[in-house]
């Protein structure tokens, strides 16, 4: 086993993924950065050393197997898997199309499962960790986002089940549950609701008990902590980072 740590981060080319990549790189990790946008993903190599990139669709088991294999081929091991890639769409049950339902579940739930399954033999060797990016709406639910809530609630319980299954093997599995985060996804959600970017941000700030949304860097810091040896006794946790939204 090599004397450095290796992380695989999905959704690495924007938002929480990019912030997580930066946080882990500062801690000396070598990183396999996976994203859907070839140009943005390739640009990550210009910003950091020790980064390899993979571009593709991770919603099939074959692609997830390929991604994990590419990471092992490039770096020789895997210590941390960060399942961050995700999509968001509006809709009640009646307003959710078959395509919105299936695409949301494929990206938000199928891909983390496929990647976790593919990565487990390697994580068992390194006594590594998985950090899943869920949502506060995976803990309490939210309006007009039934597919998103279902997918994130699934991530939370998958996290807890896998934590129990693999604790004795030394593999930890945790989830972070952000509320609104200032990322491109927040602005896109605002546009879907008919708001411009600044109006969407102001509305979300006003709904938070702390008076502001969370930053991507704050979520990334929590992810990096859960990936570290400082969190070696934490597994099966689903930790809100939402400014208090789920406190009441």
């Amino acid at each position: 086993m090599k004397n450095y740590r290796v992380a695989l981060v999905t959704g690495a080319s924007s938002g929480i993924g990019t912030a997580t990549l930066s946080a882990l790189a500062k801690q000396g990790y070598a990183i396999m950065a996976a994203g859907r946008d070839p140009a943005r993903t390739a640009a990550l190599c210009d910003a950091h050393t020790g980064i390899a990139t993979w571009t593709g669709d991770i919603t099939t088991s074959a692609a997830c197997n390929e991604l994990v294999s590419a990471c092992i081929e490039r770096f020789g091991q895997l210590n941390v898997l960060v399942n961050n890639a995700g999509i968001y769409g509006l809709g009640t049950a009646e307003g959710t199309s078959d395509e919105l339902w299936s695409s949301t579940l494929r990206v938000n739930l199928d891909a983390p499962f496929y990647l976790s399954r593919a990565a487990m033999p390697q994580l068992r060797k390194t006594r590594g960790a998985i950090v899943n990016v869920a949502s506060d709406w995976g803990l309490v639910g939210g309006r007009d986002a039934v597919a998103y809530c279902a997918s994130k609630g699934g991530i939370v319980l998958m996290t807890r089940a896998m934590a129990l299954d693999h604790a004795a093997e030394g593999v930890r599995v945790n989830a972070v549950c952000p509320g609104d985060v200032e990322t491109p996804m927040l602005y896109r959600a605002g546009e879907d609701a008919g708001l411009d970017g600044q109006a969407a941000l102001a509305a979300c700030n006003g709904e938070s008990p702390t008076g502001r949304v969370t930053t991507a860097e704050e979520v990334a810091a929590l992810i990096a902590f859960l990936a570290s040896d400082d969190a070696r006794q934490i597994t099966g946790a689903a930790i809100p980072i939402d400014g208090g939204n789920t406190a009441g």
Side-chain angles (χ1 to χ4, degrees):
M1 190 182 302
K2 299 183 180 179
N3 61 359
Y4 57 77
R5 291 167 66 85
V6 177
L8 192 166
V9 181
T10 66
S13 58
S14 68
I16 292 171
T18 300
T20 299
L21 187 153
S22 179
L24 293 175
K26 288 176 182 176
Q27 294 184 2
Y29 282 80
I31 299 170
M32 175 64 75
R36 287 182 296 178
D37 187 302
R40 287 194 304 181
T41 304
L44 296 171
C45 293
D46 298 329
H48 301 282
T49 59
I51 303 291
T53 61
W54 185 93
T55 303
D57 180 355
I58 58 172
T59 60
T60 68
S61 59
C64 291
N65 293 341
E66 177 187 318
L67 173 53
V68 171
S69 295
C71 180
I72 301 307
E73 182 177 349
R74 174 65 177 82
F75 294 114
Q77 68 186 55
L78 178 61
N79 301 84
V80 176
L81 169 63
V82 180
N83 285 311
N84 166 69
I87 60 174
Y88 172 86
L90 295 174
T92 65
E94 291 177 301
T96 297
S97 66
D98 290 355
E99 175 53 30
L100 176 58
W101 176 263
S102 61
S103 63
T104 303
L105 270 290
R106 285 197 306 268
V107 175
N108 292 2
L109 188 56
D110 290 356
F113 168 71
Y114 294 145
L115 281 168
S116 298
R117 184 176 64 183
M120 190 56 66
Q122 298 298 326
L123 296 172
R124 190 178 294 117
K125 292 177 183 178
T126 59
R127 300 181 71 84
I130 297 172
V131 183
N132 295 316
V133 179
S135 169
D136 60 346
W137 279 9
L139 298 172
V140 299
R143 291 183 175 86
D144 201 29
V146 66
Y148 181 80
C149 293
S151 68
K152 294 302 187 177
I155 282 284
V156 169
L157 285 183
M158 185 179 80
T159 295
R160 291 173 173 157
M162 290 181 61
L164 293 173
D165 286 340
H166 302 287
E169 299 169 339
V171 179
R172 297 181 300 105
V173 188
N174 291 293
V176 298
C177 300
D180 291 322
V181 181
E182 189 175 359
T183 65
M185 182 182 287
L186 182 145
Y187 291 112
R188 287 194 298 271
E191 291 170 0
D192 290 344
L195 301 173
D196 65 34
Q198 290 306 308
L201 180 60
C204 291
N205 285 340
E207 292 172 359
S208 171
T210 61
R212 67 172 181 86
V213 301
T214 307
T215 68
E217 289 73 22
E218 288 167 332
V219 180
L222 178 56
I223 292 170
F225 168 71
L226 290 172
S228 75
D229 289 340
D230 289 337
R232 58 187 173 273
Q233 193 61 6
I234 302 175
T235 194
I239 303 176
I241 177 166
D242 62 359
N245 281 338
T246 54

